[in-house]
Amino acid sequence: MRYIEDFKEGENIVAHYLCKKKDVMKTKSGKNYMSMILADRTGTAVAKAWTLNNDIQSFDAGDFIKIEATVVTYLDEMQLNVRKIRKSQTGEYLPADYIPTTDQDVGAIYAAVCGLIDSLENPHLKEMMTNIFVDDKEISGAFLRHSAAKNMHHSYMGGLCEHTLNVAQICEFLAPRYKFVNRDVLISAALLHDIGKIYELSDFPENDYTDTGQLLGHITITSELIAARAAAVSGFPPVLKNLLQHCILSHHGRHEYGSPILPKTIEAMILSYADITDAHIKMFEEALEKGPAQADWAGYNRVLARDIRKSNF
């Protein structure tokens, strides 16, 4: 297995990869070519088949394929010029090679999440959170195996629970440092803020947007989940439900980032900053991990819109 993160310019590759995306496009001269995004557990790579002949056999996005290709550099990024493609046969590849996975102990993460739920003092929130994360095995199972994003950050199996615990722990750190913070609302919102991603994104190896995810998005899905689960708890206060939903609806912080409403409570404000803090720092971490081992600079990050440097001296 030749992993994508180990590609070197000029290298010839003969290996199997998951095709995440496939499009037939036209050059400026009108010639057809194929553009693909290939993946393994270490990342993704853009691949182009410039000559569509009998060596480029039929396959679909979502298939595992065997390719023969050369690694080239285009606009400072590695990509593959592909000469041959065929569908992979069962037994020719190990699925685990194509599923990026957290290096954290998901059992320990889940135990920490349950510990935070046990620490809640509000009986209505504690019952609802226990129903979601403990009693509902479908949700708890998906929570532990899903990614937190398609590409941006924590985009690997277990990434959702890892990101969620990070955000909750940041909120736990900040809660006692400011007046007027309702800790139970903040911690519950932090644990729930991205739970809708188990419906927004498909399981691995696809890890792509579902139809529900495209139409509704995880913010709306999570808000609706809270409304339904709160209704199942006897005597759940309507204002408490509204405060919790508000944290979810505003946790991206700005309209242009996808939040339909801006944070209007101190809990919602803390959650929005905790979320972006963990996401952005993770982007730095991942950029540094993927950067050249012996270089000070890891390269330009398009999402963060800056060059990233290692703290070597």
Side-chain angles (χ1 to χ4, degrees), residues 73-268:
T73 300
Y74 179 71
L75 297 178
D76 295 325
E77 291 188 353
M78 295 285 187
Q79 72 175 38
L80 294 164
N81 280 353
V82 182
R83 300 180 297 276
K84 293 184 178 181
I85 302 175
R86 69 165 174 81
K87 285 181 67 171
S88 303
Q89 304 299 313
T90 301
E92 289 186 317
Y93 59 91
L94 294 174
D97 287 332
Y98 303 88
I99 300 177
T101 305
T102 179
D103 58 5
Q104 305 296 312
D105 182 342
V106 295
I109 290 174
Y110 184 62
V113 167
C114 291
L116 286 170
I117 293 171
D118 286 341
S119 74
L120 298 175
E121 296 181 358
N122 183 283
H124 299 101
L125 284 176
K126 190 169 186 175
E127 181 179 345
M128 185 189 75
M129 297 295 287
T130 300
N131 288 343
I132 293 172
F133 284 95
V134 180
D135 298 337
D136 192 320
K137 301 306 180 185
E138 180 180 347
I139 288 180
S140 62
F143 173 67
L144 295 178
R145 68 174 181 267
H146 257 69
S147 73
K150 178 182 176 181
N151 294 310
M152 299 280 281
H153 63 92
H154 299 89
S155 54
Y156 43 77
M157 185 176 287
L160 176 58
C161 64
E162 181 185 324
H163 170 61
T164 297
L165 181 60
N166 288 348
V167 171
Q169 289 177 332
I170 293 170
C171 290
E172 174 83 333
F173 175 81
L174 292 174
R177 285 165 171 76
Y178 299 95
K179 298 177 182 178
F180 311 113
V181 177
N182 185 314
R183 177 190 176 277
D184 281 10
V185 170
L186 178 58
I187 296 302
S188 297
L191 294 176
L192 286 167
H193 81 281
D194 273 352
I195 197 66
K197 288 186 175 178
I198 68 174
Y199 304 108
E200 182 181 46
L201 295 168
S202 60
D203 282 324
F204 281 95
E206 292 84 8
N207 190 44
D208 207 345
Y209 290 104
T210 63
D211 191 56
T212 298
Q214 290 274 30
L215 293 173
L216 301 180
H218 72 278
I219 289 177
T220 299
I221 294 168
T222 303
S223 180
E224 291 181 348
L225 175 68
I226 290 170
R229 295 308 177 97
V233 176
S234 178
F236 200 102
V239 173
L240 180 58
K241 175 184 73 70
N242 290 344
L243 289 171
L244 195 57
Q245 285 183 295
H246 173 72
C247 288
I248 303 307
L249 293 170
S250 63
H251 83 267
H252 281 189
R254 299 183 184 182
H255 295 308
E256 60 266 34
Y257 294 165
S259 276
I261 195 165
L262 300 179
K264 297 180 181 179
T265 67
I266 194 167
E267 297 83 13

Side-chain angles (χ1 to χ4, degrees), residues 4 17-25 33-40 43-49 56-57 59-65 67 80 82 85 150-151 202 205-209 214:
I4 289 171
Y17 299 97
L18 172 67
C19 179
K20 297 195 72 172
K21 186 177 180 182
K22 168 192 171 185
D23 294 296
V24 176
M25 309 175 77
Y33 72 96
M34 187 180 296
S35 178
M36 296 155 283
I37 296 178
L38 306 184
D40 63 23
T44 60
V46 173
K48 310 283 188 183
I56 308 299
Q57 297 181 17
F59 68 96
D60 296 314
D63 287 339
F64 289 94
I65 59 174
I67 66 165
L80 294 164
V82 182
I85 302 175
K150 178 182 176 181
N151 294 310
S202 60
E206 292 84 8
N207 190 44
D208 207 345
Y209 290 104
Q214 290 274 30

Side-chain angles (χ1 to χ4, degrees), residues 1-4 6-17 38 40 45 65-72 79-84:
M1 177 68 194
R2 185 60 174 164
Y3 291 119
I4 289 171
D6 298 325
F7 283 174
K8 300 289 189 287
E9 185 174 11
E11 181 179 16
N12 288 317
I13 303 294
V14 180
H16 300 266
Y17 299 97
L38 306 184
D40 63 23
I65 59 174
K66 182 179 181 181
I67 66 165
E68 292 185 19
T70 302
V71 181
V72 299
Q79 72 175 38
L80 294 164
N81 280 353
V82 182
R83 300 180 297 276
K84 293 184 178 181

